[in-house]
């Protein structure tokens, strides 16, 4: 018999025995590796005294599995959902051969007789696809299967998405194109790398009229924010610095006004770098352009340091942010280790997604407790965070905590305030935990030396590391290929290491969050050794 490891609702799972089907679904509020949980588990297992079968809540409530054609229907619907909007949907335009030459950069492959294969061209075919999901789950109880598999038998369904890259035929005359780039939302390492690659690639296609829109969407309507002319020469070295060469901003803007401005400036291609909010704006701009039947390609490049965009392996800048966070964690660790009863506390970004905190905790190997927004925790009382800290101080002499800014918000006073973009302004989780710890150790009369580090803006105000720089390069280049191929309302991403185009609505239907049932979160728990604090 195995124990499913869901921190909120653990289930008893037994192999199915013919003729003895019995199922139960029991909620136990603790993790499997806690002793009391195991005792509870053993007790209830005894009470059940029969083999039990897991009863999963159907992971796909949107599908009627009793319909014999559900698979075909799902796949049909999938293809429609992931179809890329194209300017020929609204305008009758004929394509022309792409000037983006691939043959010059390599020898054309030869066949077995040594003759050049004329059919080779190195372009991506519009019918090329990449698989979004690559795991075939044997059972709905397999780790990670609950949210991924289809139906009671955990069927395999191919979920294809469009491959990104240069097409053989293009829908714009490069010499006539005016292309614009805008960076919105907060900063993120790699913005300049993406701007630079977009300009380089446009230049190779033969586009001469390239401009930057300053300070996000604001640059479309605020007086005095003139366009910045961009060229290979202008952007040559911008990747050496962090930030955005064009400036960023949150808030403001009315979609109709932005599209008026796009029309007035005669922009044909708009590359929009930003997160969930920015992409919601990009989608609205794309729809308004369609409504007005404009020949404009709106292409997104996902920028989010929180890594909270759906379907992608990761977004650019995230890797760099984690690496920067490690510096803060290491400093806190040195302080904590060197102090008598030292406690190191590091707060990292992550409004609603704990990816930075989770990855930084995992990669540092120095964290005893990782707290993220997706996993509720208790601070006081039995099984609470403070009790665990007491134990750590007693057993190893010091303790290290990494907390995401959005963690434990339910414990804090809500301000109901929002920023200019409408994002909630959160209460400071780091300061809250810092005060709780200080007060607690004072109250119990145990000396504790707490050092709190908040490197929030340091992790994003830096230049991209090597792996992010490559990701930015590919995403930036693919954005331009997507625009020339005539797509609009799409974004450029990486899925299962393959570069793809995705329709914007599919990636912003919800923020991507850490799944507390995922192998990655369980690996983090294994690494930190923390119990669940409930
Ligand atoms: N739902 C939305 N529709 C249109 N524009 C939006 C929407 N949400 C945010 N925006 C605009 O997108 C820009 C960036 O949004 P923000 O949430 O601050 O950052 P991010 O794109 O990183 O999520 C802002 O200028 C904001 O006004
Ligand atoms: O102080 P600012 O500039 O509003 O930015 C802080 C916020 O930006 C975020 O990094 C989110 O921005 P991203 O779009 O890059 O994911 C949050 O984690 C953080 O709360
Ligand atoms: Mg956002």
């Amino acid at each position: 018999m195995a124990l499913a490891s869901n921190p909120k609702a653990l289930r008893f799972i037994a192999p199915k025995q013919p003729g003895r089907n019995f199922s139960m679904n029991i909620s136990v509020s603790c993790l499997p590796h806690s002793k009391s949980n195991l005792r509870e588990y053993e007790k209830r297992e005894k009470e059940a005294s029969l083999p039990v079968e897991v009863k999963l809540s159907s992971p796909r409530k949107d599908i009627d599995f009793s319909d014999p054609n559900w698979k075909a229907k799902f796949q049909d619907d999938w293809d429609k959902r992931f179809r890329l909007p194209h300017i020929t949907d609204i305008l009758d335009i004929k394509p022309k051969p792409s000037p983006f030459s691939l043959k010059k950069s390599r020898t054309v492959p030869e066949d077995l007789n040594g003759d050049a294969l004329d059919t080779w061209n190195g372009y991506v075919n519009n019918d090329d696809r990449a698989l979004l999901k690559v795991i075939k789950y044997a059972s709905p109880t397999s780790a990670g299967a609950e949210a991924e598999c289809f139906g009671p038998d955990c069927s395999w369904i191919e979920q294809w998405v469009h491959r990104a890259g240069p097409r053989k035929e293009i829908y714009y005359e490069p010499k006539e194109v005016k292309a614009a780039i805008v960076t919105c939302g907060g900063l993120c390492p790699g913005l300049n790398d993406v701007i630079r690659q977009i300009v380089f690639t446009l230049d190779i296609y033969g586009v001469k009229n390239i401009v930057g829109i300053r300070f996000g969407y604001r640059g479309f309507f605020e007086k005095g924010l003139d366009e910045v002319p961009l060229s290979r020469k202008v952007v040559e070295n911008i990747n050496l610095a962090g930030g955005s060469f064009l400036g960023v901003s949150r808030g403001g803007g009315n979609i109709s006004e932005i599209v008026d401005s796009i029309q007035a400036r005669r922009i044909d291609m708009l590359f929009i770098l930003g997160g969930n909010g920015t992409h919601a704006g990009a989608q609205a701009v794309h729809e308004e352009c369609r409504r007005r039947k404009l020949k404009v390609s709106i292409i997104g490049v996902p920028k989010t340091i929180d890594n909270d965009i759906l379907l992608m392996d990761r977004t650019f800048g995230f890797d760099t942010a984690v690496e920067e966070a490690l510096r803060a964690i290491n400093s806190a660790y040195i302080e904590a280790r060197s102090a008598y009863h030292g406690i190191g506390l590091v707060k990292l970004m992550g409004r609603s997604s704990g990816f930075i905190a989770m990855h930084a905790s995992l990669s540092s190997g120095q964290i005893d407790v990782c707290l993220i927004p997706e996993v509720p925790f208790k601070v006081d009382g039995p099984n609470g965070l403070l009790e665990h800290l007491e134990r750590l101080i007693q057993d190893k002499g010091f303790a290290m905590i990494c907390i995401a800014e959005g963690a434990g918000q339910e414990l804090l006073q809500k301000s109901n305030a929002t920023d200019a973009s409408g994002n909630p302004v959160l209460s400071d989780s780091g300061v809250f935990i810092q005060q709780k710890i200080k007060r607690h150790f004072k109250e119990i009369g145990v000396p504790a030396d707490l050092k709190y580090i908040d490197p929030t803006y340091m992790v994003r105000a830096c230049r991209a590391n090597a792996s992010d720089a490559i990701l930015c390069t590919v995403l930036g280049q693919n954005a331009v290929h997507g625009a020339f191929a005539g797509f609009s309302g799409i974004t450029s991403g990486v899925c299962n290491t393959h570069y793809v185009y995705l329709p914007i609505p599919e990636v912003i239907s919800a923020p991507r969050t850490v799944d507390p049932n995922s192998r990655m979160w369980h690996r983090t728990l294994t690494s930190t050794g923390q119990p669940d604090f409930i």
Side-chain angles (χ1 to χ4, degrees):
M1 194 178 266
L3 184 61
S5 43
N6 174 344
K8 282 186 191 158
L10 296 179
R11 293 185 194 86
F12 297 91
I13 304 161
K16 203 169 162 180
Q17 289 192 3
R20 296 194 74 189
N21 280 351
F22 172 78
S23 75
M24 61 189 296
N25 196 344
I26 300 168
S27 283
V28 183
S29 300
C30 43
L31 275 174
H33 46 74
S34 102
K35 275 185 189 154
S36 63
N37 186 21
L38 271 176
R39 273 198 300 276
E40 176 75 6
Y41 164 63
E42 282 160 9
K43 192 176 122 225
R44 295 200 185 192
E45 185 189 37
K46 229 179 201 169
E47 281 166 13
S49 74
L50 279 170
V52 289
E53 171 194 12
V54 72
K55 187 180 166 190
L56 283 169
S57 50
S58 168
R60 309 290 314 218
K61 296 209 166 58
D62 50 328
I63 300 173
D64 174 10
F65 294 111
S66 62
D67 178 348
N69 292 326
W70 70 264
K71 235 183 215 186
K73 280 186 182 160
F74 176 87
Q75 254 159 355
D76 193 41
D77 181 48
W78 179 271
D79 290 345
K80 281 188 193 130
R81 276 172 51 197
F82 283 84
R83 179 188 173 273
L84 305 177
H86 198 270
I87 48 169
T88 53
D89 299 342
I90 50 159
L91 297 166
D92 184 19
I93 304 167
K94 298 284 170 273
K96 57 182 77 179
S98 175
F100 186 85
S101 168
L102 297 152
K103 286 187 180 173
K104 71 174 181 201
S105 58
R106 57 166 287 186
T107 8
V108 176
E110 293 174 350
D111 67 13
L112 294 174
N113 302 321
D115 298 325
L117 285 174
D118 282 343
T119 47
W120 182 87
N121 57 37
Y123 294 108
V124 169
N125 188 297
N126 272 338
D127 293 327
D128 286 353
R129 299 285 185 273
L131 259 189
L132 189 63
K133 307 281 178 185
V134 290
I135 296 182
K136 162 87 182 78
Y137 296 99
S139 150
T141 62
S142 297
E146 192 166 1
E148 299 282 335
C149 77
F150 291 83
D153 302 328
C154 215
S155 299
W156 163 256
I157 297 195
E158 293 169 1
Q159 297 173 69
W160 297 107
V161 292
H162 291 244
R163 199 171 161 218
R167 274 27 181 193
K168 196 176 173 180
E169 292 185 324
I170 60 167
Y171 287 81
Y172 290 92
E173 172 54 53
K175 283 192 211 81
E176 292 166 8
V177 163
K178 177 173 180 183
I181 309 172
V182 63
T183 56
C184 312
L187 284 184
C188 185
L191 282 166
N192 286 336
D193 302 62
V194 178
I195 296 170
R196 181 171 175 264
Q197 287 300 326
I198 290 175
V199 173
F200 283 6
T201 314
L202 286 165
D203 180 67
I204 288 176
Y205 271 93
V207 179
K208 295 293 164 221
N209 194 357
I210 313 171
V211 298
I213 305 294
R214 293 168 68 202
F215 299 104
Y217 287 129
R218 192 176 291 272
F220 279 112
F221 51 83
E222 195 131 319
K223 288 208 168 60
L225 294 181
D226 295 337
E227 295 172 356
V228 186
L230 298 174
S231 64
R232 184 173 268 273
K233 198 170 165 203
V234 171
V235 301
E236 187 65 47
N237 298 324
I238 61 172
N239 60 316
L240 302 181
S244 167
F245 179 68
L246 301 174
V248 290
S249 75
R250 295 194 190 274
N254 155 305
I255 298 303
S256 177
E257 248 183 289
I258 293 173
V259 179
D260 289 348
S261 174
I262 290 172
Q263 264 189 290
R265 293 164 194 255
R266 299 184 178 280
I267 291 169
D268 304 289
M269 295 177 181
L270 176 60
F271 300 97
I272 305 181
L273 284 54
N276 282 295
T278 304
H279 274 71
Q283 177 64 16
V285 168
H286 156 73
E287 282 166 13
E288 180 59 17
C289 288
R290 285 200 141 200
R291 205 185 59 76
R292 298 188 194 183
K293 294 215 179 318
L294 303 180
K295 190 189 171 197
V296 180
S297 280
I298 306 292
I299 312 285
V301 182
K303 168 248 49 143
T304 155
I305 205 159
D306 289 350
N307 200 27
D308 60 354
I309 294 203
L310 292 174
L311 307 181
M312 301 174 186
D313 294 357
R314 66 187 170 99
T315 49
F316 73 83
F318 173 70
D319 206 40
T320 308
V322 170
E323 207 168 289
E324 283 299 310
L326 292 188
R327 295 181 209 276
I329 289 177
N330 196 47
S331 302
Y333 180 82
I334 290 169
E335 289 284 347
R337 268 222 83 142
S338 309
Y340 177 62
H341 288 181
I343 299 177
L345 173 64
V346 177
K347 185 184 84 169
L348 297 174
M349 279 191 172
R351 240 195 276 257
S352 55
S353 308
F355 288 105
I356 300 183
M358 177 172 79
H359 282 242
S361 299
L362 256 180
S363 54
S364 75
Q366 294 163 315
I367 295 296
D368 298 302
V369 176
C370 173
L371 302 170
I372 59 172
E374 296 86 342
V375 181
F377 59 92
K378 197 169 84 169
V379 178
D380 303 285
N383 304 322
L385 169 69
L386 295 171
E387 188 188 83
H388 185 59
L389 289 180
E390 278 179 49
R391 216 165 24 236
L392 288 168
I393 293 287
Q394 194 186 345
D395 294 349
K396 61 176 215 169
F398 73 101
M400 283 288 296
I401 308 164
C402 176
I403 184 165
E405 65 174 312
Q409 285 298 315
E410 61 283 358
L411 308 172
L412 295 157
Q413 199 130 31
K414 275 202 177 65
S415 73
N416 287 331
T418 53
D419 69 12
S421 292
N423 301 307
V425 174
L426 303 183
S427 307
D428 197 323
S429 58
V431 169
F432 169 74
I433 292 295
Q434 178 197 29
Q435 286 168 354
K436 288 292 281 184
I437 295 170
K438 281 191 166 171
R439 200 175 309 143
H440 176 74
F441 280 93
K442 200 171 173 194
E443 273 167 18
I444 61 171
V446 174
D449 191 351
L450 188 142
K451 297 290 190 298
Y452 174 43
I453 300 183
D454 179 350
T456 294
Y457 293 111
M458 294 174 76
V459 306
R460 73 177 195 188
C462 49
R463 67 176 279 199
N465 69 8
S467 75
D468 272 332
I470 293 174
L471 182 58
C472 292
T473 299
V474 183
L475 297 182
Q477 292 187 3
N478 281 343
V480 176
H481 296 315
F484 269 106
F487 300 121
S488 179
I490 63 160
T491 199
S492 169
V494 57
C495 298
N496 294 314
T497 74
H498 295 287
Y499 296 95
V500 298
Y501 295 135
L502 298 158
I504 291 175
E506 291 298 332
V507 300
I508 55 162
S509 56
R512 180 179 171 211
T513 53
V514 173
D515 177 359
N517 289 325
S518 64
R519 291 289 303 122
M520 212 52 166
W521 179 244
H522 287 178
R523 288 178 191 120
T524 308
L525 298 180
T526 304
S527 171
T528 60
Q530 73 196 75
D532 57 334
F533 301 110
I534 46 180

